[in-house]
Amino acid sequence: MATTRKTSPTIITIFGGSGDLTWRKLAPALYNLFLDNWLNEHLCIVCTGRSEMSNPAFIKRLKEGVDKFSRRGKTKKAEWDQFSKSIEYQQADFTQAKMYNGLKKQIAAFEKKAGEKANKIFYLAVPPAFFEPIAKRIGEAGLAEDREFSRLVIEKPFGSDLDSARNLNNSLLTIFEENQLYRIDHYLGKETVQNILAFRFANALFEPIWNRNYIDHVQITVAEKIGVEDRGNYYEHSGVLRDMIQNHLMQLLCLIAMEPPVSFNADEVRNRKVDVLHAIRKLKKEDVHNFAVRGQYDAGWMEGKKVKGYRHEKDVAADSPVETFAAIKFFIDNWRWNNVPFYVRSGKRMPDAISVITIEFKPVPHQSFPDEAIENWQPNRMILNIQPDMGIRIRFQAKKPGLQMQLNPVDMLFNYSDAYSSTGTPEAYETLLLDVIEGDATLFMRADQVEAAWQIVMPILETWKGNHSVNFPNYAAGTQGPETSEALIARDGNNWIVMPLEKNGHE
Ligand code: BG6
């Protein structure tokens, strides 16, 4: 890689080091950063967990995870041996002061050996109930005092509503300064999500039409094929509104709707995004039913296999009122977007795992062609595919070859995998971990952003909580969600569009 820069000496303490996130995401990401030569030779990865395990046994298990989940496939022995020298497993009770005193000594010895200040990263890959107690212990041990090099990474969920998010922010901010806090939304680390910024702000072509004069509406779909899997305990307290919409989908919306930043300074970008959140029209509780619909999956068929309904999943109540699907219409009350609907939807057990943003443009102001020529007319659409295929499709009208004037929609396609090799594309966690190591918070959520996003979903959360009398389950696994979702968008004369990236995409 031409641009690889060496980072400063780094010691990372992962709380929840023996958990799933470390296994599937963090270890493969750190390993790839190591292979791509981003990491300093002074590196220490301390994984703490409650289970008893020897260092070799832990490293062996971590290797299995890397072999399975790394974008590069299986590890090579010499490289893994070299990397794994930096890994250390510590069995510890992270509610007790003892381990933090030990950590403090270990960090001091590490810095002494490196001969300079090190990045001291504390990664909270633990359930949210532990966020505050761990942060407090870090503070009490004096480990948060290095304002420049000491950083705390917090996984989602950040709060379960506005009040709890505010309380958590207030409490963390008594220990750390805002610039030391890295609240993760892993969608922001995805290549295609970052590409929205490049696409919008490195091209002169699109910006003049990126507004209410030309854009009819915007759709954001994040559809998942998987059900709730073994996360029933967590999901029963969450639902899709908290799990996906308050964070991932709101962030995608911000990237589409934000004003051009003056620079890519972390606060400049985050200011422009928070402006969008502030401009989103707050729903009145009595209007929620006109703007938001919810669903819960029933049993159904997926790829020829019968799958369970949500209420029959492990750790889920037999009469659970929790939503696994939601579709919401937002308006952004500012000059650029006045009266342009932004429809967002996300659900589990939908037919395809696909994340896609569709920008639908307005018709031409005057139609010069005769009716027969425009029988197949369709609006111009720009489709940003985020996953699984990364790419951009632009749909426009062209003359169909022949002696008559007949117009037909055609597509112009940019597909990442045609242009670049996919094993070279970093995973979201690689990008995010490198940013934490380099102290760049652009792709992380600032306190006010998280709170503003909660403010937007609160009326919906409260209305739904107070009114359980919906006909759940109301969509079969393997379908596009409940009928009310189609009705929500059809009322405005629109329909949900999901065009896959293949050449002969259909709707
Ligand atoms: C997580 C949610 O934040 O994102 C999960 O908690 C969801 O429920 C996941 O499955 C989706 O992430 P990705 O990267 O697979 O689209």
Side-chain angles (χ1 to χ4, degrees), residues 25 156 186-187 190 222 224 226 231 234-235 243-244 247-248 348 355 387:
K25 301 284 184 191
K156 71 178 266 274
H186 79 278
Y187 266 59
K190 289 181 191 268
V222 177
E224 294 191 278
I226 53 169
R231 297 164 75 222
Y234 153 77
Y235 205 82
D243 188 47
M244 299 293 287
N247 36 71
H248 307 325
K348 294 212 183 273
S355 299
Q387 56 188 22

Side-chain angles (χ1 to χ4, degrees), residues 160-167 450-452 454-455 458 461:
S160 56
D161 57 17
L162 179 59
D163 283 347
S164 54
R166 239 183 219 151
N167 291 340
V450 181
E451 290 177 20
W454 275 120
Q455 239 153 8
M458 279 320 289
L461 267 184

Side-chain angles (χ1 to χ4, degrees), residues 362-382:
K362 292 189 168 168
V364 288
H366 169 69
Q367 192 57 269
S368 331
F369 295 97
D371 288 350
E372 338 47 285
I374 54 168
E375 270 167 8
N376 289 335
W377 183 87
Q378 279 188 10
N380 290 137
R381 286 182 189 138
M382 183 179 299

